[in-house]
Amino acid sequence: MSTYDPSGTEPEEGGKPPFDKQPPPQAPQAPSAGSPYDTPPGYSAPYGAPPGGAGSPYGAGAPQGSPPPPPPGQPYGAPYGAPGAGPVPGMPPLGSWPNRILARVIDFVMVEVVAVLVLLPFVNYGRQDGWVGATWLGYGLYLVYEGIMLSRDGQTVGKKVMKVRVAMLIDGSSPTPGAAWTRAATFIVPALICCGALWWPIDGLFGVFDKPYRQCIHDKAAKTVVVTTA
């Protein structure tokens, strides 16, 4: 005797329904282990973004926008100009204080002699105003003289005699016209406003205590140093 099945299928032997023969459901599998930095499927890096894979200067896995690593032997934050005998590698050693001072004296005396000779026909040097006029003219001539000479090769006559020269701190080259005139003006103009007997010792002593480049105030203003040519 058969039992009516409304689905139209016949029961198998033993009276088991057909769905009992289907395979049992499988348990969900855990996701495979991997790096949390793996690129997700379907993701593409923004246009122009630096790669972070092997062979990249930024290193594998480096965040985008990171600066490239420093070249070997040049770590970030290394002191400027180190190592080397001069302020920057390849630059001569700094000029000595005796040579720098004597170079100034030679230049100043030479310029003052020219100022006296220029004014000699016009003033009476037996009067005080004659010497004052020669001093002021000498200051003006010194400003022009030093600005022009340093713009050429970093040397005045006194510096040539004492074998020193003015150099740009950044690379040791001859001063630019802007640096040369700034240096000359910083040395002379305060002396015109006040008095040279007060300003020049202050300017010079500043360089004595400055480390490591022995820059006077006029060197600081022009970003220059004084090096030897010997």
Side-chain angles (χ1 to χ4, degrees):
M1 180 177 178
S2 62
T3 307
Y4 173 74
D5 183 0
S7 64
T9 59
E10 294 293 332
E12 296 183 358
E13 291 184 8
K16 295 182 180 180
F19 58 79
D20 282 353
K21 298 187 68 175
Q22 298 179 2
Q26 297 181 356
Q29 297 181 357
S32 59
S35 171
Y37 298 99
D38 289 342
T39 303
Y43 172 81
S44 60
Y47 178 77
S56 168
Y58 296 88
Q64 297 176 2
S66 300
Q74 295 291 332
Y76 291 126
Y80 176 79
V88 296
M91 186 186 296
L94 297 172
S96 67
W97 282 114
N99 287 357
R100 293 176 65 174
I101 294 172
L102 287 175
R104 282 286 185 189
V105 171
I106 291 172
D107 289 330
F108 195 80
V109 170
M110 182 182 67
V111 172
E112 282 296 327
V113 169
V114 172
V116 169
L117 294 177
V118 169
L119 292 179
L120 186 60
F122 308 104
V123 299
N124 181 3
Y125 282 100
R127 298 172 53 183
Q128 184 178 0
D129 57 351
W131 291 108
V132 171
T135 300
W136 280 73
L137 179 60
Y139 285 4
L141 290 176
Y142 194 97
L143 172 62
V144 175
Y145 160 76
E146 179 156 313
I148 293 175
M149 295 293 286
L150 295 186
S151 297
R152 296 176 57 190
D153 57 5
Q155 286 187 295
T156 59
V157 173
K159 287 178 172 56
K160 291 180 185 292
V161 172
M162 301 310 302
K163 300 185 185 306
V164 293
R165 73 177 179 91
V166 177
M168 297 300 296
L169 176 61
I170 189 172
D171 58 6
S173 62
S174 297
T176 63
W181 286 97
T182 297
R183 192 178 192 274
T186 305
F187 182 75
I188 290 294
V189 172
L192 290 171
I193 297 174
C194 179
C195 53
L198 177 62
W199 166 244
W200 289 326
I202 294 174
D203 185 26
L205 287 174
F206 189 95
V208 171
F209 294 102
D210 178 70
K211 304 296 181 184
Y213 304 126
R214 304 178 194 167
Q215 290 176 295
C216 297
I217 296 176
H218 54 268
D219 286 311
K220 290 287 186 183
K223 297 180 174 61
T224 58
V225 289
V226 178
V227 297
T228 182
T229 61

